[in-house]
Amino acid sequence: QVQLVESGGGLVQAGGSLRLSCAASGNTFRGDIMGWHRQAPGKQRELVAVITNDSSRTTYADSVKGRFTISRDNAKNTVYLQMNSLKPEDTAVYYCRMARGNFGIWGQGTLVTVSS
């Protein structure tokens, strides 16, 4: 059974950077589309970025384009989210998702707090 474990969240000042990691255990994710989602307090979960299995295509939410970069290392079964120029509105719990099965597989989330 695949498990996803996110790390790298924390408290950062506006304008700062963080790098999130999501490690998959239990099985390789070489063939899976991977994504990052986030959920801010009182808001619905939203898609942040997606990357294809071979890293040939990436997609971003308009709100993070030019600031966030998704990448993956299939040899390490890990997907990353580099977040630069962070804004207070980026504050949320960030979740990693593997597009497998009917509903996908989710990690437990990592909290990112951006102070103004």
Side-chain angles (χ1 to χ4, degrees):
Q1 184 175 355
V2 177
Q3 287 188 322
L4 303 177
V5 178
E6 300 97 334
S7 61
L11 174 64
V12 64
Q13 287 188 331
S17 298
L18 282 175
R19 188 194 195 203
L20 305 183
S21 299
C22 170
S25 63
N27 202 344
T28 180
F29 70 12
R30 191 176 301 272
D32 297 288
I33 293 172
M34 299 294 296
W36 285 96
H37 301 246
R38 68 184 181 187
Q39 187 165 17
K43 295 187 177 181
Q44 289 188 331
R45 193 171 297 189
E46 63 174 355
L47 176 67
V48 175
V50 177
I51 187 167
T52 54
N53 61 328
D54 60 356
S55 301
S56 61
R57 290 190 63 183
T58 56
T59 303
Y60 297 92
D62 288 342
S63 59
V64 307
K65 281 181 182 176
R67 300 188 298 121
F68 290 11
T69 302
I70 188 171
S71 62
R72 64 193 291 165
D73 184 337
N74 287 344
K76 296 181 178 179
N77 285 342
T78 302
V79 62
Y80 305 96
L81 186 68
Q82 178 67 43
M83 306 186 295
N84 299 328
S85 302
L86 282 161
K87 304 175 181 180
E89 51 263 44
D90 294 318
T91 294
V93 177
Y94 283 72
Y95 298 90
C96 175
R97 180 181 182 270
M98 175 184 290
R100 181 180 294 187
N102 292 330
F103 304 104
I105 299 171
W106 294 87
Q108 83 289 349
T110 185
L111 176 63
V112 172
T113 303
V114 184
S115 63
S116 58

